[in-house]
Amino acid sequence: PLLPLLMLLLGRPGRGAPGQGAGTWYRFARLPYPQDQLFLHDTFPDGFLWGAGSAAYQTEGGWRQGGKGASVWDTFSHRPATPSGAAPPGPVGGDVASDSYNNLFRDVEGLRRLGVSHYRFSLSWSRLLPNGTEPVNPAGLAHYGRLLLRLRQLGVEPVVTLYHWDLPQALQDAFGGWASPVLPQLFRDYAELCFRHFGGQVRYWLTMDNPYVVAWHGYGTGRLPPGVQGGPRLGYLAAHHLLQAHAKVWHLYNDRFRPTQRGKVSIALGSHWIKPLRMTEKNIKECQKSLDFVLGWFAKPIFIDGDYPESMKSNLSSLLPEFSEVEKEYIKGTADFFALSFGATLSFQLLDSHMKFQQLESISLRQLLYWINSEYNNPQIFIVENSWFVSGTTKRDDAKYMYYLKKFIMETLKAIRYDGVNVFGYTVWSLLDGFEWHRGYSIRRGLFYVDFQSHDKKLMPKSSVLFYQKLIEKNGFPPLPENQPIEGIFPCGFAWGVVDNYIQVDTTPAQFLDSSVYVWDVHQTKKLIKVDGVYTSKRKRHCVDFAAIRLQISLLQEMHVTHFHFSLKWSSILPLGNLSLINHTLVHYYQCFASELLRVNITPVVALWQPMIDNQELPVSLAKYGAWENTETVQAFVEYARFCFTSLGDHVKFWITMNEPSVKNLTYTAGHNLLKAHAKVWHLYDKEFRRSQKGRISIALQADWVEPACPFSRNDQEVADRILEFDIGWLAEPIFGNGDYPEVMRAWLHRINSVDLYNFHLPHFSEEEKKLIQGSFDFFALSHYTTTLVGSEKEDAVKYDHYLEVQMINDITWLHSPSRAAVVPWGLRKLLTWVKSKYGDVPIYVMANGIDDDHNMVHDKLRVYFIQNYINEALKAYTLDTVNLQGYFVYSFNDKTAPKYGLYSYIANRYEPKPSMKHYREIIDNNGFPGPETRELLCPEEVAPCAECHFFRTRKSLLAFISFVFVAFVVTIFFITYYSKRVERRYK
């Protein structure tokens, strides 16, 4: 149902024309959020082409084999190292590279394993024509003939590039390369040789790859071969000749070879994507200009009118060569499809900064596809090169590469399904690791790993191979049962709650608690005047005196929640950390708040302690002297808990000892003491308060899910398991498991202490302490906010944890909040099933689950999506996985106490419900997601607990005596009245 709705909202592009691409930025700025950014579970059109590619110089090697001549890249790579630094260790240029020249069948076997429909590769001009012109090299013809034969045997369609940057050095020496007007004709002659020898086996031809890079960096900046620093004028002249050369080859094929070979010819054009610094008309014009100067430079002459973009002509004046009218007609229309190259070669690499025109470079393939569609009259688009890269040290678990691939393919699918762009094929770059041009061997872009130092250069599949292989098999991302929402409801008594870390405390006394006497000056000032020395008797404080409580309770009632979770402030209740100084006013406030919650049928869920930034929310005297590293804090916590149970226990039946203790900021000694403090408090409640107060108590742990970045990698799975034990198991295993720390933690710490000379030691519990801690729970409470991907390969030093040897990875197809928190609803379900598998059928409460916004109501739509889908995943865990889930709490109550996370905004001293609050209320009212076939659940009416009844329960003897006196009084009055009437009648 989402797809037709989005198509209706977005509309389809009309007939394209130069300049119409400018509408792309406006269009994508108003897409429905977050629906348009959701992962699209759908497939590509039938017959869609899936392939992989490579370039001759990057992978072939064999630079002196089989009669091959030198290319400009051979010469460029063999230059001596610059004085600024020595040459990097390892192979030199593409001399050997992946050695594909000697491993043709190895490469083709990789294609067979992938299951691709096509293979894009380039012919080496200098291998076929060592001098760039006659004579022909028979060994070169035989080599490519063998490759084409093997591809035909496997049913793989060849997509052949005539020229991928490796110009014969002889042509550069003799004529000056593409700076010479002679080159177009020589290129035509070379193409004729290729069409004549190979055309019967090739349906798709590309004349050349990314002419922008060849012209601008080969002849303008000199960054790439042949390294001519000719400035802009020579760069534009080289491009002029490249366009003429392409047109000559297209006309050659069209006139002489198409009738018999029936193939198609195009040119592979590379591009970046650019977005405006701010959405202004001026900035959008600059973005349009940026694309004109890179992609439009070649695309407009070929696909529109044979001439350069107007923005180039008006800005460059005499620098830009001119086409005659005859040449314009000759160049116009010389492409049978639009062949697009997009990715790491150009984006953020070879795009000159001045061609960004002070705007922001981006990697949105989808928006580029839409721009091409609008600008060049809805062409058929063949993506002939696309991917990203990983570090040169990354071996086979290439998670970063895989998730970029996933992003680009997803954007292509959306361009087809949502935007009506006619994309008919996709090519991953590249089939195997090779020489990456100006980056050398410092990065890798292959699906298959190649050890460049090895002799045999075996291809080893990376994780991306398995990903791409499965994607091809399924022709996209078809909907799966686990991706679909389910219908159903939660059980009777399910706890629907909301969280406020610390409730708004306002103990300002109401005016009627003032014992002073005032006189109203009705004649002059019209104000109340205090009468000195005159006082009335003070009355007892009542809960109604706190106006702040009434407001918060009314908001909670409006939400229809059954539970409200908040934390007490230890440092405020006992400022000195002991009972010598008690903030009785605050305690009374908490008592009132809890009793008022009960009065309106909302169960208070109260945490004794929650760490915050200031002194970890510990009393200063404890924070000063080691905090949780000091064993005295343990005993102080027990005494504090006893006081809270005594003062608040009649109103609170749902206790949390510690809420979300942060393991990221916890030493092993502090965690050790924290566990002992929790266990002692649990046993204190169990022995001294449970019988009379009849409550429950446990600890609430922060538990974000951790997923292996490469789902097919055993190494990544081991890393994910390790992180889960360090993040959750550290505190959970002693309580809910065997009474001791996870074995994974002990083994890992032993390993790194012995190998890496760390000095991290996990304390040991005595047998008595194990018995104390094990089983100290009534339920498993967890807070869950997001899911993290982890890998074993070090890729990004900033996000690499050396201590745990884990690389944090980002799936860029996931939704993210303004603070970059990933929205991954299925992570909650996985977490809940993990808890069940590890700790049995323990009752589980999701005590906090929420996401931020940026005070923009647009982002509250993300929270609506978040709540809807996370709760639905919780329902799957309860219904399908039989997890004993008993409650769910949204974080957070309001923006005043938790800015950007609230269900209520707080602006100008007013609380306003956000749409997400109303959506959550609807889910609560339905107790989930009932459907037409959902059975009605008849739940018994719950009687609200009476907080005031405690007064009567504890004074039974007094009540009995008062009852006796009352009855005796009534009987006495009755007898007096009775006998009085008899006496009156007797006298009458």
Side-chain angles (χ1 to χ4, degrees):
L2 181 62
L3 182 58
L5 174 63
L6 279 169
M7 288 170 60
L8 182 65
L9 290 170
L10 303 181
R12 293 298 183 97
R15 185 176 177 82
Q20 287 198 8
T24 303
W25 291 280
Y26 293 110
R27 178 182 188 272
F28 281 87
R30 59 179 176 82
L31 293 179
Y33 179 84
Q35 291 85 353
D36 181 70
Q37 293 186 19
L38 298 178
F39 196 85
L40 174 59
H41 292 282
D42 201 351
T43 56
F44 285 79
D46 292 341
F48 192 81
L49 302 178
W50 294 105
S54 68
Y57 186 75
Q58 290 187 282
T59 59
E60 271 189 5
W63 80 290
R64 284 180 169 173
Q65 286 182 263
K68 179 185 176 294
S71 74
V72 291
W73 267 97
D74 291 317
T75 305
F76 194 79
S77 300
H78 293 154
R79 293 184 310 177
T82 58
S84 59
V92 175
D95 288 3
V96 179
S98 320
D99 202 18
S100 290
Y101 182 74
N102 297 302
N103 291 278
L104 183 151
F105 290 99
R106 173 205 67 179
D107 294 358
V108 175
E109 177 59 24
L111 295 167
R112 187 197 61 77
R113 179 166 183 168
L114 284 169
V116 294
S117 55
H118 70 272
Y119 177 44
R120 179 192 170 192
F121 65 93
S122 74
L123 305 174
S124 170
W125 189 346
S126 59
R127 189 176 294 284
L128 291 170
L129 297 171
N131 297 315
T133 59
E134 300 285 348
V136 177
N137 178 18
L141 291 174
H143 170 72
Y144 294 117
R146 284 192 299 271
L147 175 57
L148 288 167
L149 175 62
R150 185 63 183 139
L151 291 175
R152 187 168 74 249
Q153 290 170 346
L154 287 178
V156 175
E157 185 84 54
V159 177
V160 180
T161 310
L162 292 170
Y163 168 61
H164 201 129
W165 305 4
D166 48 353
L167 182 74
Q169 182 64 41
L171 298 183
Q172 181 64 34
D173 294 340
F175 305 105
W178 289 109
S180 168
V182 174
L183 258 289
Q185 182 60 40
L186 296 178
F187 185 59
R188 180 202 175 280
D189 296 341
Y190 160 61
E192 184 174 3
L193 170 75
C194 298
F195 294 154
R196 194 167 62 246
H197 281 275
F198 309 127
Q201 303 170 69
V202 178
R203 263 201 320 156
Y204 293 100
W205 289 98
L206 300 172
T207 56
M208 58 187 69
D209 182 86
N210 213 332
Y212 165 86
V213 172
V214 176
W216 191 252
H217 291 300
Y219 295 87
T221 68
R223 286 182 63 187
L224 299 179
V228 179
Q229 296 178 0
R233 186 179 299 279
L234 193 63
Y236 292 124
L237 180 62
H240 203 69
H241 297 150
L242 285 163
L243 278 165
Q244 290 171 333
H246 159 76
K248 279 181 177 291
V249 171
W250 186 89
H251 281 287
L252 167 69
Y253 189 85
N254 192 58
D255 296 341
R256 292 185 48 190
F257 294 97
R258 192 190 301 274
T260 56
Q261 295 180 1
R262 299 181 181 179
K264 295 183 177 182
V265 179
S266 189
I267 179 172
L269 299 180
S271 185
H272 62 306
W273 180 247
I274 198 90
K275 62 182 182 181
L277 193 62
R278 287 180 298 277
M279 278 295 290
T280 65
E281 186 176 348
K282 179 179 181 298
N283 286 345
I284 287 173
K285 284 182 179 178
E286 296 298 286
C287 288
Q288 180 79 4
K289 190 190 299 181
S290 176
L291 290 173
D292 280 347
F293 269 65
V294 179
L295 179 58
W297 185 2
F298 300 91
K300 182 173 176 285
I302 294 170
F303 289 92
I304 299 297
D305 59 6
D307 201 3
Y308 297 116
E310 287 302 318
S311 59
M312 291 186 74
K313 291 163 69 174
S314 60
N315 280 271
L316 298 174
S317 62
S318 62
L319 283 176
L320 198 64
E322 292 185 4
F323 290 117
S324 68
E325 291 303 317
V326 173
E327 287 176 321
K328 289 178 186 178
E329 284 299 315
Y330 190 71
I331 292 171
K332 181 176 70 174
T334 55
D336 300 322
F337 55 91
F338 197 113
L340 176 65
S341 168
F342 181 77
T345 301
L346 186 60
S347 298
F348 297 94
Q349 295 290 324
L350 293 174
L351 178 69
D352 273 16
S353 58
H354 75 272
M355 288 192 178
K356 299 176 188 177
F357 295 94
Q358 299 181 330
Q359 305 307 309
L360 301 174
E361 196 171 356
S362 175
I363 52 170
S364 175
L365 174 57
R366 179 183 170 191
Q367 293 186 47
L368 176 60
L369 289 169
Y370 188 85
W371 186 88
I372 291 169
N373 201 64
S374 302
E375 192 79 6
Y376 301 120
N377 197 19
N378 311 339
Q380 284 189 311
I381 300 175
F382 192 174
I383 299 172
V384 294
E385 176 184 343
N386 179 236
S387 76
W388 207 240
F389 61 90
V390 291
S391 164
T393 59
T394 299
K395 292 184 170 59
R396 297 177 63 182
D397 292 333
D398 57 339
K400 174 184 169 184
Y401 181 93
M402 184 174 72
Y403 286 109
Y404 269 96
L405 210 56
K406 181 181 175 186
K407 165 190 164 66
F408 291 135
I409 294 172
M410 171 52 56
E411 290 189 350
T412 304
L413 180 60
K414 286 183 176 180
I416 295 169
R417 296 302 187 195
Y418 289 169
D419 308 329
V421 180
N422 186 0
V423 184
F424 68 90
Y426 179 90
T427 312
V428 168
W429 201 268
S430 66
L431 174 65
L432 67 167
D433 291 334
F435 174 74
E436 289 302 331
W437 307 119
H438 62 295
R439 302 291 296 273
Y441 295 96
S442 65
I443 63 171
R444 292 175 180 269
R445 294 184 67 194
L447 292 166
F448 287 90
Y449 175 80
V450 176
D451 180 356
F452 298 112
Q453 303 296 338
S454 68
H455 176 71
D456 56 6
K457 304 286 191 301
K458 285 184 180 177
L459 292 192
M460 289 179 278
K462 302 180 188 178
S463 293
S464 53
V465 164
L466 298 172
F467 165 78
Y468 194 46
Q469 185 183 55
K470 290 183 180 296
L471 185 140
I472 293 171
E473 284 177 8
K474 297 175 181 177
N475 198 32
F477 310 98
L480 300 172
E482 57 266 31
N483 304 138
Q484 307 306 307
I486 66 166
E487 295 176 343
I489 54 177
F490 289 92
C492 290
F494 190 77
W496 291 105
V498 70
V499 187
D500 206 353
N501 285 340
Y502 297 103
I503 56 173
Q504 180 191 347
V505 174
D506 184 358
T507 57
T508 305
Q511 64 179 28
F512 43 76
L513 290 178
D514 189 353
S515 58
S516 302
V517 174
Y518 296 83
V519 174
W520 187 13
D521 182 0
V522 296
H523 298 293
Q524 296 181 8
T525 64
K526 310 292 184 181
K527 295 180 179 180
L528 291 174
I529 301 173
K530 184 178 179 180
V531 180
D532 295 333
V534 181
Y535 301 97
T536 62
S537 58
K538 288 188 177 181
R539 70 165 179 81
K540 188 178 178 182
R541 289 174 178 267
H542 298 289
C543 289
V544 292
D545 297 335
F546 299 118
I549 292 180
R550 294 199 303 274
L551 174 59
Q552 291 178 82
I553 297 294
S554 67
L555 295 177
L556 291 168
Q557 282 183 282
E558 183 183 19
M559 203 182 298
H560 298 179
V561 292
T562 61
H563 291 65
F564 180 55
H565 173 30
F566 63 93
S567 299
L568 304 177
K569 285 199 169 187
W570 183 3
S571 61
S572 299
I573 294 173
L574 302 179
L576 300 181
N578 55 48
L579 299 178
S580 63
L581 179 61
I582 301 171
N583 188 338
H584 289 288
T585 303
L586 180 58
V587 172
H588 178 61
Y589 187 91
Y590 284 134
Q591 289 170 335
C592 288
F593 199 99
S595 65
E596 288 299 300
L597 284 171
L598 291 172
R599 190 177 62 80
V600 296
N601 272 354
I602 297 176
T603 301
V605 181
V606 180
L608 294 170
W609 173 72
Q610 175 166 343
M612 297 297 281
I613 295 174
D614 296 334
N615 296 321
Q616 301 182 52
E617 194 43 53
L618 294 171
V620 176
S621 59
L622 297 175
K624 248 188 209 178
Y625 297 102
W628 286 108
E629 301 233 355
N630 189 340
T631 54
E632 291 185 12
T633 305
V634 175
Q635 193 53 41
F637 186 64
V638 174
E639 293 307 311
Y640 161 64
R642 184 190 302 277
F643 173 76
C644 292
F645 295 152
T646 303
S647 305
L648 302 172
D650 293 330
H651 308 290
V652 179
K653 310 301 177 190
F654 201 141
W655 288 99
I656 301 293
T657 56
M658 300 158 175
N659 192 51
E660 297 185 21
S662 175
V663 296
K664 305 292 184 189
N665 303 316
L666 209 59
T667 66
Y668 292 128
T669 301
H672 201 68
N673 289 333
L674 191 144
L675 282 165
K676 289 191 283 188
H678 155 78
K680 287 185 176 184
V681 168
W682 187 89
H683 284 283
L684 168 69
Y685 189 85
D686 192 53
K687 291 174 183 175
E688 299 185 24
F689 295 94
R690 192 189 297 274
R691 182 173 297 176
S692 60
Q693 295 181 1
K694 297 180 172 54
R696 295 178 295 164
I697 185 168
S698 197
I699 188 172
L701 304 176
Q702 181 163 339
D704 289 335
W705 181 242
V706 179
E707 185 79 3
C710 295
F712 322 106
S713 166
R714 183 180 300 175
N715 292 336
D716 284 10
Q717 184 62 60
E718 287 178 3
V719 169
D721 292 341
R722 180 160 68 244
I723 300 302
L724 285 170
E725 294 296 357
F726 271 83
D727 284 1
I728 305 173
W730 177 7
L731 300 180
E733 186 64 28
I735 298 170
F736 300 93
N738 61 12
D740 200 357
Y741 296 116
E743 185 55 38
V744 169
M745 284 186 73
R746 288 207 184 278
W748 182 256
L749 292 176
H750 175 75
R751 174 189 173 279
I752 64 170
N753 286 337
S754 59
V755 174
D756 299 325
L757 302 179
Y758 283 107
N759 190 26
F760 296 110
H761 294 288
L762 204 55
H764 290 271
F765 293 115
S766 66
E767 289 304 316
E768 185 179 341
E769 286 172 335
K770 288 180 183 178
K771 290 178 183 176
L772 177 79
I773 296 171
Q774 186 181 21
S776 56
F777 68 90
D778 295 333
F779 49 87
F780 195 115
L782 59 89
S783 300
H784 175 81
Y785 300 99
T786 190
T787 291
T788 304
L789 292 171
V790 295
S792 56
E793 295 271 10
K794 183 178 179 181
E795 181 66 36
D796 180 356
V798 176
K799 296 181 179 180
Y800 186 77
D801 185 332
H802 290 272
Y803 173 52
L804 293 175
E805 295 181 10
V806 56
Q807 178 69 63
M808 303 300 171
I809 301 287
N810 181 32
D811 183 341
I812 50 180
T813 65
W814 286 349
L815 277 175
H816 288 82
S817 72
S819 69
R820 302 305 299 160
V823 179
V824 192
W826 52 258
L828 175 58
R829 181 182 177 189
K830 287 200 170 189
L831 172 68
L832 294 173
T833 54
W834 181 83
V835 171
K836 178 187 175 184
S837 68
K838 275 189 72 71
Y839 304 119
D841 196 32
V842 57
I844 301 176
Y845 289 85
V846 177
M847 296 304 299
N849 180 230
I851 198 162
D852 62 289
D853 58 38
D854 60 358
H855 301 302
N856 183 337
M857 279 301 146
V858 169
H859 287 103
D860 190 60
K861 294 179 181 179
L862 179 61
R863 184 178 289 107
V864 170
Y865 171 84
F866 183 98
I867 291 172
Q868 170 83 12
N869 287 276
Y870 270 84
I871 295 177
N872 197 265
E873 291 295 324
L875 180 63
K876 290 178 187 178
Y878 168 72
T879 306
L880 306 177
D881 308 326
T882 64
V883 173
N884 188 4
L885 184 63
Q886 299 196 358
Y888 172 89
F889 293 66
V890 167
Y891 181 85
S892 141
F893 181 19
N894 62 73
D895 282 343
K896 183 176 184 181
T897 51
K900 301 183 180 182
Y901 282 86
L903 294 177
Y904 284 89
S905 62
Y906 184 74
I907 303 171
N909 296 322
R910 286 176 58 87
Y911 292 96
E912 292 292 339
K914 299 179 184 178
S916 53
M917 186 285 282
K918 297 174 182 177
H919 188 70
Y920 184 43
R921 180 174 64 193
E922 183 181 342
I923 294 173
I924 293 172
D925 291 344
N926 291 322
N927 199 31
F929 308 94
E933 299 179 5
T934 304
R935 292 183 181 180
E936 187 177 356
L937 195 64
L938 299 174
C939 298
E941 287 283 336
E942 289 191 18
V943 179
C946 175
E948 292 76 9
C949 299
H950 178 70
F951 173 86
F952 301 105
R953 286 197 303 270
T954 56
R955 295 167 173 81
K956 292 180 181 176
S957 300
L958 177 62
L959 288 174
F961 174 73
I962 292 172
S963 300
F964 172 75
V965 171
F966 178 73
V967 171
F969 174 75
V970 171
V971 170
T972 302
I973 294 298
F974 172 77
F975 279 115
I976 290 173
T977 305
Y978 175 75
Y979 283 108
S980 295
K981 289 183 178 179
R982 289 191 62 180
V983 169
E984 286 178 9
R985 283 197 294 272
R986 186 182 300 168
Y987 281 107
K988 286 180 181 178

